[in-house]
Amino acid sequence: MTPSQPGRRRPEPSVEHARLAESPDDSDPWRLWGPYVAGRQWGTVREDYSADGDAWESFPFEQAHRRAYRWGEDGIAGLCDRFGFLNLSVAMWNGQDDRLKERFFGLTNPQGNHGEDVKEYWWHLDATPTHSWGQTLYRYPQAAFPYDRLRDENARRTRLDPEFELSDTGIFDEDRFFDVVVTHAKSTPTDIVVTVTATNHGPDPAPLHLVPQLWFRNTWAWGRDNRQPSLTALGSPVVEDASLVAVEASHDFLGRYVLFAEGAPELLLCDNETNADALWGVANRSPHPKDAIDHAVVHGDRSALSGNGTGTKAAFHYTFDSVPPGGSVTVRLRLTAEPTADRPFVTSDSVLADRQADADSFYAVVIPPSVSDADRHTARRAFAGLLWGKQLYRYDVDDWLQGDPASPPPPQARKGVEPWGRNTAWRHLALADVISMPDEWEYPWFATWDLAFHAVALAHVDPAFAKAQLLLLCREWAQHPNGQLPAYEWAFSDVNPPVHAWAVWQVYLRDGAWDRDFLTRILGKLLLNFSWWVNRKDADGSDLFEGGFLGMDNIGVFDRSRQVPAGWRLEQSDATAWMAFMCLSMMRIAQELGRHDHAFDDLATTFLERFLGICRALGSFGSMGVSLWDKQDGFFYDVLVGPDEQTETMRVRSLVGLLPLLAVGNCPAWVREELPDFAEALNWLGRHRPEEVASLLTLNPTHDEALTFAVVDPTRVSELVTRLLDESEFLSPHGIRSLSAAHRDGVTIDVAGMQMSLHYTPGESDTGLFGGNSNWRGPVWFPINVLIIEALHTYAAGAGSSLTVDFPTGSGERVGLHEAAQRLEDRVVGLFRPGEGGRRPSDPRDLLPGPLWTEHPTFSEYFHGDTGAGLGASHQTGWTALVAHLICTPATAYDPGESDSSSPRPVEGSSS
């Protein structure tokens, strides 16, 4: 529907857009099936029933092929229904491995010298938001997978050494691998064609076994629902073609599905049950446990297979004794709930071709035609990863804490009061939803601030899903009764930055600025969250906030959530700035709603007052008369406040001191006419507090009716931007660093009588703080760069329209803030632009040369502060997918005095 005419339908620009219009809700037919199978279920909190809370050891990789999961499933290129009952994925065997390759392998956090790390290579090639089409590629070595060598070598290395990766073993030399491409294409919402094509890139013929698997998640073994579904081999008269094998899946909720396999593979059946005998020496529930297929294919032992043609797990075993060099083999499957067809594969090729054409037409609309081929490739791959990263997430905390009737009761230690008992304050949380994950292997659980960034990128391809994701974490079965949003499953009570309101506004704009019901639904929940911040994170009511680590792991000299010296409190520049940022986003939402319902007018005024209070505290004097702004350095710092009101400034130049730049918004001119309460508040402030608000409410030099709200006044903006754009400090060739490079030689500060230090570390973390998996002491992080870019555009569109700065600092080349933001964006997007030899700056160190590797961009968690090389989690097309947001929405200037929610707008800042 068009924003200006909400009652009239407009023609959808593509077939896939039409499907989206038909299926806005996650219960709609086109959303029933998707790639919702987790990349990793073992080693998650949900599967951990130990006393010590060591999830990695409680359910390790070595048990995954033998042990039934309680809360979900995992697999390679998996497909399942949105409830996770019936799952389909591909397994394979090269004739050398000691087990079927059914799931991705990686090191646990204690095993990795820089934290947990997946040791596999795969890339998501394409996807549509209704999952009518999807392709992914897995790179499978032809030699035995070096599990032990990867563990042993990384255990030997220290934090000062690079991670030892799969390519470092030499296993891919001479291209001795299979590229296994899995394609899903829907004919109808419940009729899906699946192809698996494996290509031998090596110089010699090589054997390969392809073993697609269909199985039911085990819901019957826990004593809560004893109903057991079934998989049954079908024969004549249902299947008369000897070249086909078929299995019927019967489930009380899903009904009946049939999976057809072309080419007469060997059908192997067993049950999705734990092999308790092999693991612990106790009797099995079923004589046909889930690893029976592995035993049959890899070890030639068929004794545990089901011999009666039924089970709850089935495999179709295709054997290719010799795939020639450069040759490919393909198997075709069709999963359908439609009436059984005599020849199910007759139309398969046309379904595949039609869905691929639909995907091309869809992205021709989503990605602007002016975008270069290189950036178009990056954007489409980013969207593909984001869509393949949607996973079914089931977790009922109360059931998890209590344990299941048919299982041993969990140890009492895990039920203790937090922080000793994990998530015991979150017994209300009960999720069974498809959720966008930060990374499908290293972070196969949602994180609140990650999800907000995901939603902004998702809004370009699936605004309904983006809105549903933001709403989900604010629903009563997720949001805490006290208003806190759950952080992540390792510790729901940890604190992520309050970016939810900003994401809500951005998604609203990306969707054409018409869905005020969405704003109204979520605003009340965001008010609860705002109140939680005020009541829990502003200890003395000073409007200076103590948020804790705030998602930036090791950015300080100590753990800011748990290692603040006893009797002291840390008043945080970033926590306070985030709250000002949230205020402006909330104010802008309330203003928008106030145009149509004046009941929201005074709410906008409330957030104006709250914003001004935070500005006074952050910029003027702070708690105990000590400012977080350091006049000598021209920078914001955290301040420790002691029991006797003594203070110590944390003189570390990091993103902590730059984040106040984000709290900026432009107030449209129509506010003065359409929101009388808000307009009167502005007039009153002008009459009674002119000095106080002069630096916070700035008139646009080109439009005297438009105001810019900013925590940082124009003078300080200039000082901060000077540091921001200094290549010896924050500005790298590929974006803004998280710690100033001026700290290359280290910085030592006094923390309540103890000397603590850190130094600029552009690559992997060299400290165990927060497990060492992430590093905020130098690398470039995509989401913060996007927020900084938008903030600069917002300043430029308002009070900073006449401000010029050196780009880079000291160069003497003066540019406006719009141009500075655009140049910064070019550096960030440039991470993914191929250079010499096709290699991208963002390619990880271990990516091998040649087009078979450089064709595929890697969306890493963060990027080296000097070289741009990808680091951390390797499939972070969660927030790193924001590169597609930048590519698809060119940041063009606009006049904030003329902005109008009834027409589409370009990219705006935090609250503009």
Side-chain angles (χ1 to χ4, degrees), residues 32-284:
L32 175 59
W33 288 89
Y36 309 142
V37 181
R40 174 174 62 83
Q41 186 70 14
W42 62 271
T44 59
V45 167
R46 286 153 283 161
E47 302 295 339
D48 174 22
Y49 285 80
S50 66
D52 60 6
D54 188 341
W56 293 110
E57 288 299 316
S58 174
F59 202 137
F61 173 80
E62 289 71 28
Q63 294 184 5
H65 67 296
R66 288 193 171 121
R67 187 169 157 190
Y69 295 120
R70 169 64 177 86
W71 293 97
E73 294 292 339
D74 58 20
I76 296 173
L79 180 75
C80 73
D81 63 274
R82 59 111 29 249
F83 306 99
F85 292 128
L86 187 58
N87 302 264
L88 173 63
S89 73
V90 62
M92 59 211 81
W93 184 52
N94 56 17
Q96 305 293 324
D97 286 347
D98 66 354
R99 73 197 68 188
L100 268 181
K101 177 55 69 174
E102 297 175 281
R103 57 186 52 80
F104 301 127
F105 169 75
L107 301 183
T108 69
N109 196 298
Q111 291 173 335
N113 60 328
H114 292 286
E116 66 263 29
D117 182 37
V118 69
K119 300 299 183 184
E120 306 268 15
Y121 294 94
W122 75 98
W123 297 271
H124 301 304
L125 305 181
D126 208 5
T128 54
T130 65
H131 307 296
S132 59
W133 167 260
Q135 275 192 324
T136 190
L137 181 158
Y138 171 65
R139 184 150 288 169
Y140 185 39
Q142 293 174 359
F145 201 92
Y147 295 108
D148 291 337
R149 187 180 176 196
L150 288 166
R151 290 191 194 94
D152 295 344
E153 178 60 23
N154 279 286
R156 186 188 66 79
R157 296 189 177 195
T158 71
R159 292 193 183 279
L160 300 180
D161 301 312
E163 294 170 331
F164 184 64
E165 304 291 3
L166 183 58
S167 66
D168 295 329
T169 68
I171 201 168
F172 293 119
D173 290 355
E174 299 182 281
D175 296 337
R176 293 183 183 274
F177 54 80
F178 287 100
D179 271 351
V180 182
V181 175
V182 181
T183 304
H184 304 153
K186 294 180 183 177
S187 174
T188 72
T190 55
D191 183 15
I192 309 166
V193 175
V194 178
T195 65
V196 184
T197 298
T199 302
N200 177 6
H201 287 291
D204 300 314
L208 180 65
H209 298 248
L210 292 176
V211 193
Q213 301 188 71
L214 181 73
W215 73 99
F216 283 109
R217 178 169 58 88
N218 190 323
T219 57
W220 56 86
W222 320 107
R224 295 184 181 274
D225 185 348
N226 295 327
R227 294 175 297 172
Q228 185 165 325
S230 65
L231 299 175
T232 305
L234 293 179
S236 178
V238 179
V239 179
E240 296 182 349
D241 188 340
S243 68
L244 298 180
V245 175
V247 167
E248 179 184 69
S250 298
H251 188 273
D252 281 354
F253 180 81
L254 289 179
R256 177 184 182 271
Y257 279 82
V258 176
L259 178 62
F260 292 94
E262 188 181 42
E266 180 186 16
L267 178 62
L268 309 174
L269 286 158
C270 64
D271 286 318
N272 186 18
E273 295 272 13
T274 297
N275 190 337
D277 180 41
L279 289 170
W280 307 299
V282 299
N284 289 333

Side-chain angles (χ1 to χ4, degrees), residues 432-471:
D433 299 271
V434 173
I435 302 179
S436 179
M437 299 297 166
D439 175 284
E440 66 179 302
W441 193 92
E442 297 193 29
Y443 303 105
W445 29 262
F446 71 87
T448 296
W449 79 312
D450 292 65
L451 190 69
F453 293 116
H454 302 183
V456 173
L458 280 165
H460 290 271
V461 293
D462 193 353
F465 182 73
K467 288 182 279 190
Q469 292 286 281
L470 294 171
L471 285 163

Side-chain angles (χ1 to χ4, degrees), residues 378-585:
T378 297
R380 192 153 172 179
R381 287 294 186 91
F383 285 131
L386 196 62
L387 294 169
W388 275 91
K390 293 160 62 175
Q391 297 181 4
L392 178 67
Y393 184 88
R394 304 186 75 97
Y395 189 18
D396 185 312
V397 173
D398 193 52
D399 283 354
W400 177 76
L401 288 170
Q402 295 301 322
D404 296 311
S407 303
Q412 285 299 314
R414 69 196 300 273
K415 301 179 185 178
V417 177
E418 292 189 66
W420 297 278
R422 176 167 287 144
N423 296 329
T424 52
W426 292 80
R427 290 178 179 270
H428 70 284
L429 189 144
L431 292 166
D433 299 271
V434 173
I435 302 179
S436 179
M437 299 297 166
D439 175 284
E440 66 179 302
W441 193 92
E442 297 193 29
Y443 303 105
W445 29 262
F446 71 87
T448 296
W449 79 312
D450 292 65
L451 190 69
F453 293 116
H454 302 183
V456 173
L458 280 165
H460 290 271
V461 293
D462 193 353
F465 182 73
K467 288 182 279 190
Q469 292 286 281
L470 294 171
L471 285 163
L472 175 63
L473 294 194
C474 294
R475 294 307 302 265
E476 57 274 19
W477 52 83
Q479 185 176 22
H480 199 282
N482 65 20
Q484 185 179 10
L485 298 181
Y488 47 84
E489 68 175 29
W490 289 90
F492 284 134
S493 292
D494 253 339
V495 184
N496 280 183
V499 295
H500 224 70
W502 167 82
V504 165
W505 182 247
Q506 291 295 319
V507 169
Y508 174 76
L509 294 178
R510 300 285 79 75
D511 192 32
W514 65 272
D515 192 356
R516 292 188 297 275
D517 285 347
F518 164 61
L519 297 184
T520 304
R521 285 186 65 193
I522 205 165
L523 181 58
K525 302 299 183 76
L526 291 175
L527 286 169
L528 292 175
N529 184 235
F530 184 84
S531 296
W532 176 83
W533 274 91
V534 170
N535 293 327
R536 297 295 181 93
K537 294 299 178 180
D538 179 11
D540 65 347
S542 65
D543 284 324
L544 292 172
F545 290 81
E546 308 95 30
F549 90 112
L550 286 175
M552 294 192 212
D553 295 12
N554 62 356
I555 201 165
V557 293
F558 55 82
D559 181 339
R560 299 189 299 165
S561 287
R562 297 171 179 85
Q563 295 176 348
V564 178
W568 294 67
R569 70 176 181 275
L570 183 69
E571 296 190 336
Q572 293 179 223
S573 169
D574 56 334
T576 307
W578 282 123
M579 284 304 290
F581 176 81
M582 183 182 186
C583 278
L584 288 179
S585 299

Side-chain angles (χ1 to χ4, degrees), residues 529-646:
N529 184 235
F530 184 84
S531 296
W532 176 83
W533 274 91
V534 170
N535 293 327
R536 297 295 181 93
K537 294 299 178 180
D538 179 11
D540 65 347
S542 65
D543 284 324
L544 292 172
F545 290 81
E546 308 95 30
F549 90 112
L550 286 175
M552 294 192 212
D553 295 12
N554 62 356
I555 201 165
V557 293
F558 55 82
D559 181 339
R560 299 189 299 165
S561 287
R562 297 171 179 85
Q563 295 176 348
V564 178
W568 294 67
R569 70 176 181 275
L570 183 69
E571 296 190 336
Q572 293 179 223
S573 169
D574 56 334
T576 307
W578 282 123
M579 284 304 290
F581 176 81
M582 183 182 186
C583 278
L584 288 179
S585 299
M586 297 282 279
M587 182 178 76
R588 188 64 187 89
I589 292 169
Q591 287 174 338
E592 187 78 357
L593 292 173
R595 300 190 76 182
H596 308 276
D597 183 345
H598 289 299
F600 292 96
D601 186 357
D602 59 346
L603 185 59
T605 307
T606 296
F607 280 104
L608 169 64
E609 291 287 349
R610 299 299 303 128
F611 172 73
L612 293 177
I614 293 171
C615 288
R616 289 193 297 270
L618 183 65
S620 299
F621 51 87
S623 177
M624 309 306 164
V626 176
S627 176
L628 302 187
W629 173 258
D630 186 278
K631 292 182 179 179
Q632 178 179 343
D633 290 356
F635 206 75
F636 288 99
Y637 295 117
D638 287 351
V639 174
L640 269 174
V641 181
D644 298 323
E645 312 308 335
Q646 68 269 40

